[in-house]
């Protein structure tokens, strides 16, 4: 991730940030939730009873929100390389998503069921070398797309974080081959200074 937690500038910006304060006053673990909420309010991603896969889930605010939206009949499978405090009704897999075994663990967790939605907020640790960071981020996005096309039910959706740069156009083109509609979203909680935005691919077609 771009920021360096602990640095003075990062700390001051966090304290000023409206979304950080909002998250601190709510039960959500991260300001990242407001990006998902804004997209969901516009695009209605979640349904009761849905199965959702949340990639790059720690510290867990997207999983918290997803669980609230799918309700007790739904199921959320979350993956992160970092540990994550448990979230009710969320099955957490800790591991590196670029490893085949972790991909396979996701499939096992679904136990033959299809997912209705795959959300990916995966963001690699930044090296500071832009081309390397972009390549790592796109590699994760590609893996997320590969899992999605394997597990989504027809009509299912995918939301995926990307950073503007090399590879994004190819990913979009690729998604257009599998989904009826592909749009981009830059929620208000996503900092203007960040190259981050989201691709929303709707209605998976086999
Ligand atoms: C922006 S954070 C996700 C925030 C989360 N959506 C939330 O609401 O709390 C990105 C996450 O991607 C995870 N990540 C990065 N590379 C990964 C990998 N190879 N495998 C699994 N998780 C990874 C990071 O550990 C980090 O927790």
């Amino acid at each position: 991730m771009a920021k360096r937690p602990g640095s003075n500038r990062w700390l001051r910006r966090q304290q000023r940030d409206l979304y950080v304060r909002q998250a601190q006053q709510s039960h959500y673990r991260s300001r990242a939730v407001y990006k998902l909420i804004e997209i969901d309010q516009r695009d209605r991603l979640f349904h009761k009873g849905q199965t959702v896969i949340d990639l790059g889930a720690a510290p867990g605010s997207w999983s918290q929100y997803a669980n609230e939206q799918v309700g007790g009949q739904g199921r959320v499978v979350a993956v992160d390389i970092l540990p994550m405090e448990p979230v009710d009704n969320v099955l957490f897999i800790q591991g590196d998503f670029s490893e085949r075994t972790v991909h396979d663990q996701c499939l096992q967790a679904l136990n033959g069921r299809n997912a209705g939605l795959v959300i990916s907020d995966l963001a690699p640790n930044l090296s500071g070398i832009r081309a390397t960071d972009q390549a790592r981020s796109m590699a994760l996005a590609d893996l997320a797309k590969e899992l999605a096309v394997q597990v989504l039910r027809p009509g299912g959706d995918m939301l995926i974080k990307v950073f503007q740069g090399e590879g994004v156009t190819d990913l979009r083109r690729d998604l257009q081959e599998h989904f009826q509609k592909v749009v981009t979203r830059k929620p208000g909680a996503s900092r203007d200074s960040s190259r981050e935005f989201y691709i929303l691919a709707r209605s998976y077609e086999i």
Side-chain angles (χ1 to χ4, degrees):
M1 277 165 283
K3 37 234 161 202
R4 281 187 295 113
S7 77
N8 284 341
R9 228 176 105 221
W10 181 83
L11 222 93
R12 276 200 306 277
R13 191 172 70 175
Q14 287 287 98
Q15 283 157 354
R16 272 201 315 266
D17 189 313
L18 169 74
Y19 294 105
V20 171
R21 275 187 276 128
Q22 236 174 294
Q24 282 163 350
Q25 284 156 17
S26 75
H27 64 291
Y28 293 117
R29 297 174 184 177
S30 159
R31 75 188 287 291
V33 76
Y34 297 107
K35 304 175 195 174
L36 183 62
I37 291 175
E38 189 181 320
I39 296 170
D40 185 36
Q41 283 173 348
R42 175 171 177 177
D43 294 295
R44 303 269 161 240
L45 303 178
F46 293 93
H47 307 287
K48 292 282 174 220
Q50 208 175 25
T51 298
V52 177
I53 300 196
D54 178 12
L55 301 172
S61 71
W62 280 28
S63 284
Q64 289 176 293
Y65 182 75
N67 177 45
E68 289 159 9
Q69 301 311 304
V70 302
Q73 300 300 310
R75 181 161 186 71
V76 179
V77 175
V79 180
D80 206 288
I81 197 165
L82 297 176
M84 180 169 108
E85 288 293 317
V87 178
D88 281 350
N89 202 29
V90 173
L91 179 88
F92 179 59
I93 298 166
Q94 187 180 354
D96 182 344
F97 187 62
S98 59
E99 285 176 11
R100 186 77 217 172
T101 48
V102 176
H103 178 111
D104 291 347
Q105 276 177 274
C106 292
L107 300 182
Q108 277 161 23
L110 290 178
N111 203 12
R113 271 187 304 185
N114 284 333
L117 177 66
V118 175
I119 51 181
S120 169
D121 203 20
L122 282 164
N125 274 332
L126 296 186
S127 68
I129 303 166
R130 190 154 163 168
T132 308
D133 292 336
Q134 183 67 13
R136 283 187 188 153
S137 155
M138 289 316 301
L140 287 173
D142 274 336
L143 289 171
K145 181 213 68 196
E146 267 173 37
L147 180 73
V149 299
Q150 209 176 345
V151 301
L152 280 176
R153 61 165 175 75
D157 298 326
M158 166 165 219
L159 178 70
I160 181 165
K161 178 178 19 220
V162 290
F163 295 87
Q164 190 57 60
E166 178 109 27
V168 171
T169 309
D170 288 344
L171 176 67
R172 272 197 73 153
R173 200 174 302 128
D174 212 358
L175 287 167
Q176 276 160 351
E177 283 178 17
H178 296 285
F179 293 84
Q180 260 179 31
K181 191 174 163 197
V182 177
V183 294
T184 56
R185 297 286 179 252
K186 174 79 177 173
S190 177
R191 293 183 170 113
D192 289 341
S193 57
S194 166
R195 290 184 297 115
E196 161 195 280
F197 70 98
Y198 293 84
I199 299 179
L200 174 60
R202 304 223 74 163
S203 200
Y204 174 60
E205 300 174 304
I206 293 188

